[in-house]
Amino acid sequence: MTVANAPVLVSGAVGATPPQHPIAEPASSPRRRAFSGLAKYLGLAPFAVYVVLFLAIPTVLAIVTGFFTEDGSFTLSNIAGLFDPLVLATFASSFWVSAVTAVIGAVVGALVCYALLGTRPGGALRSFIDSAASVLAQFGGVMLAFAFIAAIGTQSLLTIWLQDSFGVDIYESGPWLYQPAGLLVVYTYFQVPLMIITFLPALEGLKSQWAEANATLGGTRFTYWTKIAFPVLAPSFFGSLLLLFANAFSSYATAAALVSQGSPIVPLQIRAALVSETVLGRENMAGALALGMVVVMVVVMWGYSVLQARTSRWQK
């Protein structure tokens, strides 16, 4: 029996047929890139809707109502009302309350952050203070106003106890808690925790190699903090200070629940304009006041972003 030998195909030989493989689509094909970009934008859609509804639309309404009357005609009367002495005094009062509480909150909060550097990261004390600061920074509005009224109000147990036991009348010069002076105490309550949660990461970002290099070169602790640490932390500190100022400047609910008479700050002046529909004889004055607040907030947040950009340079 004769068996015919089958031809053997050698790779690269003449007449050999190369194996066929399906053509795979490149990983960076236009179709994949388009789908990835679409998925990224879809993920941002909820945030975009939130920004449009609660930031863009109110800002546009403030601008539109500030430059128009109720019948839709263009006017500069509302904008001119911003330079009225009463309105300027209201803005000055808001600046004063915001600046004082921001400085107090920034200094006290920075000292607390410095003290926390001596605790163990991830320890019980550090975790407790971080959690408490996160909660207290968001504790405001009617609840905070009621807490202070119940604690140190004119008829609170503490006020009556101090008066009956020691003859100390904390309201001898007037009901300061229900005036701008009271806002200083109440606003500082949530300014300090906000400073802790914003400034503590910057302090924790200081590298131990910097202190070691300072000690190696014969520097002291004072030299380290004045020549190295403070220049590095200054943008973060002043950025947090601006954030605290913006937080106090835009606060409304706490002041509305605490201050029952007058409109000593801009948010309360806007409320008065909306309720009475007329301020100083000008319609839509609330829109002009809101526009003034938007301008202030844009300037403050621009400064905050610039300082945060400088801070991020050495944190990388």
Side-chain angles (χ1 to χ4, degrees):
M1 179 183 296
T2 304
V3 178
N5 294 329
V8 179
L9 298 179
V10 181
S11 178
V14 178
T17 303
Q20 300 295 325
H21 298 285
I23 300 177
E25 185 179 0
S28 59
S29 64
R31 182 181 301 177
R32 287 177 177 265
R33 289 197 300 267
F35 179 78
S36 177
L38 180 61
K40 181 169 58 177
Y41 287 118
L42 288 177
L44 292 175
F47 178 73
V49 172
Y50 174 82
V51 170
V52 170
L53 291 178
F54 297 99
L55 182 61
I57 293 179
T59 302
V60 172
L61 290 177
I63 295 175
V64 170
T65 57
F67 285 97
F68 292 89
T69 61
E70 288 189 351
D71 57 4
S73 58
F74 180 82
T75 182
L76 293 177
S77 177
N78 298 324
I79 303 302
L82 293 176
F83 299 96
D84 187 273
L86 178 61
V87 176
L88 291 178
T90 304
F91 270 94
S93 180
S94 292
F95 272 100
W96 174 71
V97 171
S98 302
V100 172
T101 57
V103 171
I104 295 176
V107 173
V108 176
L111 293 177
V112 174
C113 292
Y114 177 75
L116 287 177
L117 290 181
T119 62
R120 183 171 60 88
L125 180 60
R126 178 78 68 88
S127 300
F128 172 77
I129 295 181
D130 286 342
S131 301
S134 300
V135 173
L136 295 178
Q138 305 299 325
F139 184 67
V142 178
M143 295 178 60
L144 180 60
F146 173 77
F148 270 88
I149 293 174
I152 58 174
T154 54
Q155 299 299 323
S156 66
L157 292 176
L158 180 60
T159 303
I160 297 176
W161 177 73
L162 288 175
Q163 189 171 3
D164 295 341
S165 302
F166 303 98
V168 176
D169 185 9
I170 60 176
Y171 292 104
E172 183 178 0
S173 58
W176 53 266
L177 181 63
Y178 311 102
Q179 299 172 357
L183 295 179
L184 298 178
V185 179
V186 179
Y187 280 12
T188 304
Y189 181 86
F190 56 76
Q191 294 282 61
V192 173
L194 181 60
M195 182 64 181
I196 293 175
I197 63 179
T198 56
F199 188 63
L200 184 58
L203 272 178
E204 292 177 336
L206 291 176
K207 296 178 174 57
S208 59
Q209 294 86 343
W210 299 344
E212 295 171 358
N214 173 72
T216 303
L217 295 175
T220 62
R221 180 179 293 270
F222 178 79
T223 304
Y224 169 73
W225 283 104
T226 55
K227 301 296 184 180
I228 301 175
F230 181 76
V232 170
L233 293 174
S236 178
F237 177 83
F238 289 110
S240 300
L241 180 67
L242 289 178
L243 184 63
L244 265 61
F245 177 89
N247 184 47
F249 189 78
S250 60
S251 295
Y252 163 76
T254 303
L258 194 63
V259 178
S260 58
Q261 295 182 354
S263 303
I265 59 177
V266 180
L268 298 185
Q269 189 76 16
I270 294 176
R271 180 191 63 177
L274 291 174
V275 172
S276 64
E277 298 181 357
T278 302
V279 176
L280 304 175
R282 299 179 180 91
E283 299 173 346
N284 289 341
M285 190 61 194
L289 291 169
L291 177 60
M293 288 194 66
V294 168
V295 172
V296 173
M297 295 298 292
V298 167
V299 173
V300 172
M301 297 313 296
W302 172 80
Y304 172 76
S305 63
V306 171
L307 292 173
Q308 283 299 105
R310 293 177 59 89
T311 303
S312 62
R313 294 178 184 176
W314 61 266
Q315 287 181 339
K316 294 180 180 179

